[in-house]
Amino acid sequence: MWRDSLRGIYYIALKDMRTYYLKPPSLSWGIVFPLAWILAFYLRNPRGFEELVPGLIAMTILFSTTAAEAVVINFELRLGSLERLLLAPISLPVVLLGKVLGGTIFGLMMTTVITIVSIVVLGLHPNFLYLILIIIPSLLVFSSLGSLLCVLVKEVFEAQTLLNLPRFIMIFLCGVVYPVSAMPTALQYLAYIMPLTYTVDGLRHSFSIASSTMVFTDTLVLIGFFILFIVPAIKLLYKKFE
Amino acid sequence: MKNVVDVKELTKRFGELVAVDHINFEVRKSEFFGFLGPNGAGKTTTIRILTGLSKPTEGRVSVLGLDINSRIVEAKRHIGVVPEISNLYDEFSAIDNLLFMAQLYGVPRTQRRKRAEGLLKTFGLYERKNNLFRTFSRGMKRALTIAAALIHNPEILFLDEPTVGLDVVAARSLRNLIGNLHQQGIAIFLTTHYLEEADLLCDRVAILVKGRIIKIDTPKALKAAAEEESVIEFSFGREISELIEDLSNKLPEVKIATVDHNKLRIYGGAPTEVYDSVFSFAKGKGIKIQSINSIKPTLEDAFIKITGLSPIVMAIEKGGK
């Protein structure tokens, strides 16, 4: 049973990579947008660019995972091809996890490229174990957030519109550009209920000398966010098939 | 195991609407079972429940002895499903679609390509195995969708309106393919609103109207029941559909169904009385009678007798034959 489920998740993820992710719109949202954003900040202040790297990686994680994730489920529901997957001997959670894994793998590819280029070009020395402990759960969190918002709405375009709101709020409030500690208290509280805050925080720890406890705390919080997004996404998808 | 599908008191409600209403039936091993009814009768809802896409509100359903509420994933290993829409992946070639299905169904790696190519040959698509699904004609898409449902050698094949929207040649070719599959011993559950399709292919037929099964029998037995009364077909010189009500008032004890805009069939009644009444009606309205035929009942006639519905209604609902 577990073998069947893992096989289903793997092949659905591979199929989605081929069908949706390795296409120009996903690539542009996943890489071009974060790069353009950071370039703007670099041109403004080239000296402190190292400090922007965790934010750049966090944005790449956010945009690459959610680029297609927020539309694929509704798109396939409309075409009837999601039903095709559900006719196979796998459960609905397996289908959804396959979709989430597709976004995660794509995000991992994009993030790996950005991270390696940043490290090589700027001569940085991060703790790679910490990086993995933050990047992997973050990819799962934002991929599941995309799928949750996708199953919340009926139309393909509604999901993209809906997703833009948390995406842009997170960019400004979660420490990507400005440190959370420098923001007014009310906004700091808001930042701490958003997953990107823990991604940026964990990445900053990975690029500095930090205790493992701080990184593990961020990892645990991110795993909590993943559960918080994936469980209702599964329940809502079940509802669509009632 | 005698039955591959067992359905007891199956009911499906969508809010106030009762789509399927306490139906009971079974599909026997290697049987070709037809589910016949107009749009909205509950055919697709039933097939979605049997294949695990939807949950029943009430009742018990087992497929190959496995309860679909608790063991649906296990049951799905042994069933193939062809939905009403050909829902394979447009961006994949024919062979890639079949290989993807083989992966999902856990077909051993060493057998995947062999099986996929074998099915493409059976369905006459081998020459186009590397062409994208989106470039296929409607008939070829249907054929490939059926091939995809067979990739794991299922014991039962569920077909939901497989020939809807196909031209006459493609539909005939597909019916031959489906007939051949049945001869190989696969049990087939077919939903259709095409009466001649059910007549041609099915061992037994369930007639479903408004969520209820009205009758289950062999097409032969259903036709035999219809033979108990006369069926006379009249062809007129002009459109007569607006005059049916007048004629019904003249012949209250018979059932009248329009076959075409200028053609109708009268079921039951004493033949001489029917002839006399129609002649005098036509004379009174100044309509010329072009032909009269006393006809042997078809499954369509049996359907009309049992349901009181016109088969034209079903054809129009689905976009015609």
Side-chain angles (χ1 to χ4, degrees), chain A residues 28-232:
Chain A
S28 64
W29 268 100
I31 276 197
V32 177
F33 186 81
L35 273 180
W37 190 268
I38 291 298
L39 186 67
F41 281 92
Y42 173 74
L43 292 173
R44 187 165 165 253
N45 182 17
R47 282 184 195 167
F49 189 65
E50 289 88 349
E51 286 173 26
L52 287 176
V53 170
L56 168 65
I57 298 171
M59 275 213 297
T60 309
I61 292 171
L62 175 65
F63 280 89
S64 59
T65 48
T66 52
E69 193 62 58
V71 296
V72 293
I73 296 169
N74 276 339
F75 185 64
E76 290 201 0
L77 269 172
R78 188 165 276 243
L79 291 179
S81 42
L82 197 75
E83 283 198 2
R84 159 66 55 193
L85 300 177
L86 289 169
L87 291 169
I90 46 176
S91 63
L92 184 143
V94 165
V95 172
L96 194 70
L97 286 171
K99 300 261 159 217
V100 168
L101 184 67
T104 302
I105 294 171
F106 176 71
L108 183 63
M109 286 163 61
M110 300 294 108
T111 309
T112 304
V113 171
I114 295 287
T115 307
I116 289 173
V117 169
S118 304
I119 290 169
V120 172
V121 171
L122 299 170
L124 303 172
H125 300 284
N127 182 320
F128 285 99
L129 177 66
Y130 290 178
L131 274 183
I132 292 166
L133 283 172
I134 294 301
I135 288 174
I136 301 293
S138 296
L139 292 165
L140 287 167
V141 166
F142 296 111
S143 192
S144 58
L145 173 66
S147 67
L148 174 63
L149 295 180
C150 193
V151 293
L152 263 175
V153 296
K154 280 186 179 168
E155 299 295 333
V156 173
F157 70 89
E158 284 177 321
Q160 277 290 13
T161 312
L162 186 63
L163 186 63
N164 279 335
L165 188 68
R167 262 200 304 218
F168 286 101
I169 289 176
M170 282 195 280
I171 288 172
F172 288 107
L173 296 185
C174 296
V176 171
V177 184
Y178 310 103
V180 174
S181 55
M183 290 193 296
T185 315
L187 291 181
Q188 285 187 35
Y189 285 129
L190 203 57
Y192 288 124
I193 58 166
M194 293 180 186
L196 197 69
T197 302
Y198 301 93
T199 302
V200 177
D201 189 56
L203 290 169
R204 285 200 195 285
H205 291 321
S206 306
F207 280 95
S208 61
I209 303 157
S211 76
S212 57
T213 316
M214 293 164 99
V215 177
F216 291 150
T217 307
D218 288 325
T219 305
L220 283 175
V221 174
L222 287 167
I223 291 169
F225 272 110
F226 171 61
I227 295 164
L228 195 70
F229 294 149
I230 197 73
V231 173

Side-chain angles (χ1 to χ4, degrees), chain B residues 15 48 56 77 113 129 135 151 163 190 216 261 289 301:
Chain B
R48 287 176 66 83
R77 286 199 190 98
R113 187 162 288 273
K129 68 174 184 173
T135 65
I151 195 78
T163 56
L190 168 86
I216 303 180
H261 66 283
I289 296 175
D301 301 315

Side-chain angles (χ1 to χ4, degrees), chain B residues 252-321:
Chain B
E253 75 284 8
V254 302
K255 207 175 275 176
I256 302 173
T258 50
V259 178
D260 208 343
H261 66 283
N262 68 334
K263 207 180 270 186
L264 57 81
R265 280 184 189 174
I266 297 179
Y267 300 85
T272 47
E273 197 185 321
V274 170
Y275 288 132
D276 287 348
S277 300
V278 175
F279 281 137
S280 69
F281 172 79
K283 196 174 174 185
K285 299 282 181 189
I287 308 168
K288 197 178 165 188
I289 296 175
Q290 289 182 325
S291 67
I292 305 164
N293 287 305
S294 177
I295 60 168
K296 193 173 160 56
T298 59
L299 186 61
E300 186 171 302
D301 301 315
F303 181 84
I304 292 162
K305 190 187 170 192
I306 293 163
T307 64
L309 292 169
S310 166
I312 289 175
V313 172
M314 301 217 290
I316 290 167
E317 280 174 343
K318 287 279 179 176
K321 289 183 193 182

Side-chain angles (χ1 to χ4, degrees), chain B residues 51-97:
Chain B
T51 55
L53 283 178
S54 182
K55 287 209 178 298
T57 313
E58 280 174 44
R60 201 171 59 78
V61 180
S62 70
V63 176
L64 294 157
L66 302 164
D67 186 279
I68 58 138
N69 276 327
S70 55
R71 298 173 73 184
I72 185 62
V73 173
E74 221 175 312
K76 283 196 278 189
R77 286 199 190 98
H78 307 283
I79 64 177
V81 188
V82 180
E84 194 176 341
I85 305 162
S86 301
N87 56 2
L88 294 177
Y89 293 94
D90 276 346
E91 308 80 0
F92 283 11
S93 65
I95 187 90
D96 283 350
N97 263 302

Side-chain angles (χ1 to χ4, degrees), chain B residues 64-303:
Chain B
L64 294 157
L66 302 164
D67 186 279
I68 58 138
N69 276 327
S70 55
R71 298 173 73 184
I72 185 62
V73 173
E74 221 175 312
K76 283 196 278 189
R77 286 199 190 98
H78 307 283
I79 64 177
V81 188
V82 180
E84 194 176 341
I85 305 162
S86 301
N87 56 2
L88 294 177
Y89 293 94
D90 276 346
E91 308 80 0
F92 283 11
S93 65
I95 187 90
D96 283 350
N97 263 302
L98 295 190
L99 289 174
F100 175 56
M101 288 302 139
Q103 289 166 341
L104 276 188
Y105 278 87
V107 175
R109 192 183 290 268
T110 51
Q111 293 176 28
R112 284 176 200 158
R113 187 162 288 273
K114 194 178 163 196
R115 272 200 216 172
E117 290 186 344
L119 282 165
L120 288 170
K121 281 175 190 162
T122 305
F123 285 83
L125 297 169
Y126 187 74
E127 299 304 316
R128 297 197 57 181
K129 68 174 184 173
N130 292 320
N131 291 136
L132 296 181
F133 184 64
R134 67 162 167 259
T135 65
F136 281 17
S137 69
R138 204 178 276 190
M140 288 161 75
K141 282 183 175 177
R142 286 315 271 158
L144 191 67
T145 309
I146 297 176
L150 295 168
I151 195 78
H152 58 298
N153 292 334
E155 290 171 57
I156 319 168
L157 183 63
F158 290 90
L159 295 157
D160 193 6
E161 306 272 8
T163 56
V164 162
L166 299 188
D167 61 53
V168 177
V169 179
R172 188 180 296 165
S173 150
L174 208 60
R175 281 179 196 131
N176 288 337
L177 281 167
I178 296 167
N180 290 340
L181 290 174
H182 177 232
Q183 283 177 357
Q184 290 164 27
I186 300 176
I188 295 179
F189 182 97
L190 168 86
T191 73
T192 183
H193 66 281
Y194 292 151
L195 296 146
E196 75 278 15
E197 188 166 278
D199 194 7
L200 185 76
L201 295 168
C202 298
D203 298 322
R204 284 192 309 141
V205 171
I207 294 175
L208 190 73
V209 178
K210 292 181 181 167
R212 290 186 169 202
I213 291 180
I214 297 177
K215 189 102 180 164
I216 303 180
D217 217 327
T218 61
K220 195 176 170 186
L222 293 170
K223 285 186 277 188
E227 267 173 12
E228 287 165 10
E229 63 182 20
S230 68
V231 182
I232 305 166
E233 187 176 276
F234 292 89
S235 183
F236 298 92
R238 69 171 173 86
E239 170 92 44
I240 40 89
S241 49
E242 75 277 11
L243 303 173
I244 296 285
E245 205 179 323
D246 290 350
L247 186 60
S248 295
N249 292 335
K250 235 174 146 53
L251 287 163
E253 75 284 8
V254 302
K255 207 175 275 176
I256 302 173
T258 50
V259 178
D260 208 343
H261 66 283
N262 68 334
K263 207 180 270 186
L264 57 81
R265 280 184 189 174
I266 297 179
Y267 300 85
T272 47
E273 197 185 321
V274 170
Y275 288 132
D276 287 348
S277 300
V278 175
F279 281 137
S280 69
F281 172 79
K283 196 174 174 185
K285 299 282 181 189
I287 308 168
K288 197 178 165 188
I289 296 175
Q290 289 182 325
S291 67
I292 305 164
N293 287 305
S294 177
I295 60 168
K296 193 173 160 56
T298 59
L299 186 61
E300 186 171 302
D301 301 315
F303 181 84

